[in-house]
Amino acid sequence: QVQLVESGGGLVQAGGSLRVSCVASGRDFRRYVMGWFRQAPGKEREFVSAFSIFGTTTYADFVKGRFTVSRDNAKNTLYLQMNSLKPEDTGVYYCAAGQRLSDLVRSYDYWGQGTQVTVSS
């Protein structure tokens, strides 16, 4: 089992940058696929990015070229660097751990509590 805690959210102006982090506790962090999802008010949770155990990364089309996912297995930490932020990027950002690289919510077994990202216009 793994526990996930996100941090680094906040308020930023459009065009700005933020980096959110997710620290995992428990065993075998390096064996999990790690993902980022987000949820805006009144909308379903949606896939943002994921990082496999082999180093493969994948992104939703709407963040390609703006967001970069990375992981530091020595620190049990997953990162999401977000650049050129837009108001539509506003939402709660969640990290998740699972067994296979996927953009589906149901593919991930463990979730953090989320961190709020607000982008003002």
Side-chain angles (χ1 to χ4, degrees):
Q1 191 168 355
V2 61
Q3 293 79 43
L4 305 171
V5 178
E6 302 94 336
S7 63
L11 173 64
V12 64
Q13 289 189 333
S17 297
L18 274 178
R19 188 179 77 161
V20 291
S21 302
C22 171
V23 177
S25 60
R27 300 176 63 179
D28 299 328
F29 171 77
R30 66 182 64 243
R31 296 185 180 183
Y32 288 96
V33 172
M34 298 299 298
W36 285 105
F37 289 76
R38 70 186 186 188
Q39 189 166 18
K43 295 187 177 181
E44 293 185 352
R45 194 168 297 190
E46 63 181 359
F47 172 76
V48 175
S49 182
F51 201 116
S52 79
I53 62 174
F54 303 111
T56 303
T57 58
T58 183
Y59 297 91
D61 286 343
F62 52 78
V63 302
K64 283 181 180 178
R66 300 190 297 125
F67 291 11
T68 302
V69 64
S70 61
R71 67 190 291 170
D72 185 336
N73 288 336
K75 295 182 178 180
N76 281 12
T77 303
L78 178 75
Y79 304 97
L80 185 68
Q81 177 68 44
M82 303 182 289
N83 300 327
S84 302
L85 282 161
K86 305 175 182 180
E88 52 264 43
D89 293 319
T90 294
V92 178
Y93 281 70
Y94 298 90
C95 73
Q99 298 297 326
R100 68 184 185 95
L101 193 64
S102 172
D103 61 358
L104 300 176
V105 171
R106 64 174 181 265
S107 295
Y108 293 83
D109 304 308
Y110 303 102
W111 293 83
Q113 84 291 347
T115 185
Q116 177 70 45
V117 172
T118 303
V119 184
S120 63
S121 57

